[in-house]
Amino acid sequence: MAPAASKADVVEHLGQAGSIPVRLRHLLPPAYSPEAMSDDPRRHVPRTDTLLADPRLAGAGERLGRALVKDAVQRVQQRVRGGEVAPDAAVEAVLADLPPTASSLRPVLNATGVIVHTNLGRAPLSGAAVEAITAAAGTTDVELDLGTGRRGPRGEAAIAALLEAVPAAEAAIVVNNCAAALALVATALGQGRELVLARGELVEIGDGFRIPELLQSTGARLREVGTTNRVALADYRDALGPDTGAVLKVHPSNFVVRGFTRAVPVAELSEALAGTGVPLVADVGSGLLRPHPVLSDEPDLQTTLADGADLVLASGDKLLGGPQAGLVLGRADLVQRLRRHPLYRALRVDKTTLAALEATLRGPRPPVPEMLAADVDGLRARARAVVARLVDAGIDAFAVDAGSRVGGGGAPEHPLPGAAVSLPPGFAEPLRVGVRPVVGYLEDDRTLLNLRSVPPSADDDLADAVLAVAAAWT
Ligand SMILES: *Cc1c(COP(=O)(O)O)cnc(C)c1O
């Protein structure tokens, strides 16, 4: 600050920039004496080309792309100019500044206790699914029969795995997400026609995404029946007519209506629709394949089909614990109609999703169902083990009981008992912005790191992240 102002003053006083008579040099601030200048780190900012040519940075450039490395080089040059980094430490500083991958998405430890957290990418994939994605990422036989050398059906193996897991389904297709599945169904069965839907099921899923608006955007007309809290079979019957494209049931995933309520179960609706030719479509949302031993209120694909739904729709990245996907299962003729519809081509999934879905279904139990099944004693023991490491380092930490949730719009009323590591409130933010970001939450003026949503294999990383924050303070 000061030297720059002094320079301006002196130069102005002398009336000529650049050439300062030798006899006046003693008037200049020390930074402007030629001797001092040679020590000024700003004079030694390594050139961009020189840095990029360093073998370590050239290697990083091959891995991450030259543009990302160049960005990091420029940031470090700025820090050298500011005297923050020594010129000869520039390469190390660039290496430390480089992102771990060419994507800016970073792995985050989810210590929110919300197992399926939409802001944190919903379901963490199983190791088997990650490997399958890597294997399928290059050129792969997604649509080629290697035996005959001819074109084969796309994603056949993932579909077969789905049908094995849900034997009540005759056929299935996979689209980008459950919203895409709804859009496809509404377009193929309801465009220019009516979709019959109970008023109590006009659901907003989250972030302003409203199912009725999505349905209407396809050109289907909504025929709302019943009231917010009650709908009867007769309401559905009265709504049927020559224009009816389908009857839709949407699971109110993220809320419950209590008190004087009534809904019509799938089995009753299906019985009433028998012989009318009107398909019954049920959006169950959560993606449970079978009834869950603990989440008794969550509908599942197998039971809903067995109860008589013609099509069921669900997300792949909620309780199923797989990749983002929309699953459509049910009657073969209806599935075929959807597959043939031009819109299907715009909604179909890529090879990596198919690979991850198949591995989720056939491989070991993925993290989401594992986390759901974790017992309280195990969670408490993990919390105590993490706390022991932190207390050893002098951190004010203790284990507490803490409830958690399924999340992702599932089982809203189902609290899951669990355990958390309790820390002073000041930990929350530095943990979130740390090298290995950890997202916890504040409760009663403490930072809680809830272990139900953390894979047990990451407990050491969690403790390391807390230790790193504490170390930076001392
Ligand atoms: C979550 C949910 C959706 C939306 O699913 P996406 O896979 O996020 O598109 C639709 N319907 C219900 C009932 C849901 O719970």
Side-chain angles (χ1 to χ4, degrees):
M1 228 48 193
S6 313
K7 178 195 176 192
D9 291 344
V10 172
V11 168
E12 197 176 302
H13 176 71
L14 294 173
Q16 47 179 158
S19 74
I20 301 171
V22 174
R23 63 191 165 82
L24 288 178
R25 279 194 184 156
H26 69 277
L27 292 174
L28 292 172
Y32 270 87
S33 75
E35 298 77 6
M37 259 177 160
S38 63
D39 291 337
D40 185 340
R42 293 170 290 191
R43 299 279 297 167
H44 301 288
V45 177
R47 290 166 46 95
T48 306
D49 292 349
T50 315
L51 284 173
L52 287 176
D54 182 281
R56 287 169 293 172
L57 296 192
E62 271 167 37
R63 200 167 57 79
L64 298 171
R66 205 176 136 90
L68 275 181
V69 180
K70 204 170 161 189
D71 287 348
V73 162
Q74 282 164 353
R75 280 192 296 272
V76 167
Q77 284 172 322
Q78 199 60 41
R79 286 162 61 200
V80 174
R81 234 166 258 129
E84 219 184 295
V85 170
D88 56 5
V91 172
E92 278 75 19
V94 174
L95 286 170
D97 186 87
L98 283 173
T101 71
S103 153
S104 60
L105 287 181
R106 298 170 66 193
V108 171
L109 281 175
N110 172 11
T112 62
V114 180
I115 297 177
V116 178
H117 199 301
T118 300
N119 301 155
L120 296 177
R122 287 206 185 149
L125 296 179
S126 67
V130 173
E131 276 181 30
I133 286 177
T134 308
T139 40
T140 182
D141 58 342
V142 66
E143 232 177 83
L144 185 79
D145 181 333
L146 293 173
T148 63
R150 291 171 199 278
R151 184 190 178 128
R154 185 181 174 87
E156 199 180 24
I159 300 289
L162 258 181
L163 296 179
E164 258 174 62
V166 185
E170 295 170 5
I173 49 171
V174 183
V175 289
N176 255 313
N177 49 30
C178 193
L182 275 165
L184 182 58
V185 164
T187 309
L189 306 181
Q191 198 166 56
R193 311 187 71 191
E194 282 184 355
L195 295 174
V196 179
L197 180 60
R199 289 205 167 83
E201 298 175 9
L202 301 172
V203 176
E204 174 170 321
I205 297 297
D207 196 26
F209 164 47
R210 294 176 171 172
I211 287 182
E213 291 174 359
L214 172 82
L215 297 173
Q216 281 167 321
S217 76
T218 67
R221 294 193 302 279
L222 286 195
R223 180 72 184 262
E224 299 170 13
V225 295
T227 60
T228 307
N229 53 332
R230 284 171 75 87
V231 63
L233 194 54
D235 296 319
Y236 284 99
R237 277 218 187 90
D238 291 348
L240 299 181
D243 270 359
T244 310
V247 171
L248 199 58
K249 258 192 86 66
V250 176
H251 178 56
S253 300
N254 49 11
F255 68 100
V256 289
V257 183
R258 243 195 249 103
F260 187 52
T261 66
R262 177 165 162 193
V264 183
V266 166
E268 271 177 47
L269 256 182
S270 148
E271 217 179 293
L273 291 174
T276 63
V278 172
L280 173 59
V281 180
D283 171 9
V284 305
S286 69
L288 279 183
L289 302 171
R290 305 293 188 106
H292 192 277
V294 177
L295 307 175
S296 50
D297 291 340
E298 281 298 308
D300 66 277
L301 296 170
Q302 171 68 16
T303 307
T304 309
L305 283 172
D307 281 351
D310 298 293
L311 286 177
V312 288
L313 320 179
S315 293
D317 55 353
K318 292 183 181 172
L319 294 180
L320 181 63
Q324 179 187 301
L327 315 175
V328 184
L329 298 90
R331 250 170 58 192
D333 62 318
L334 292 174
V335 170
Q336 188 63 359
R337 235 168 105 185
L338 301 180
R339 195 197 310 275
R340 292 258 166 82
H341 195 281
L343 186 60
Y344 169 65
R345 182 61 178 75
L347 305 175
R348 72 174 194 186
V349 292
D350 81 318
K351 58 192 178 180
T352 59
T353 300
L354 290 166
L357 181 61
E358 184 186 353
T360 299
L361 291 162
R362 293 212 190 273
R365 189 157 73 160
V368 168
E370 279 287 322
M371 289 168 177
L372 263 174
D375 73 2
V376 190
D377 289 339
L379 292 167
R380 285 181 182 144
R382 286 171 54 198
R384 284 195 302 268
V386 171
V387 162
R389 278 191 65 195
L390 305 182
V391 169
D392 276 350
I395 296 169
D396 163 23
F398 48 87
V400 290
D401 277 356
S404 54
R405 286 187 297 127
V406 173
E413 291 283 277
H414 202 95
L416 299 163
V421 174
S422 171
L423 298 166
F427 272 90
E429 198 201 331
L431 278 172
R432 207 176 57 240
V433 302
V435 177
R436 178 76 198 264
V438 177
V439 179
Y441 55 101
L442 286 167
E443 198 173 278
D444 296 334
D445 209 27
R446 297 287 291 179
T447 297
L448 296 195
L449 305 180
N450 193 310
L451 292 185
R452 185 177 287 276
S453 51
V454 176
S457 58
D459 284 358
D460 280 343
D461 291 346
L462 186 82
D464 288 344
V466 178
L467 291 170
V469 167
W473 278 337
T474 52

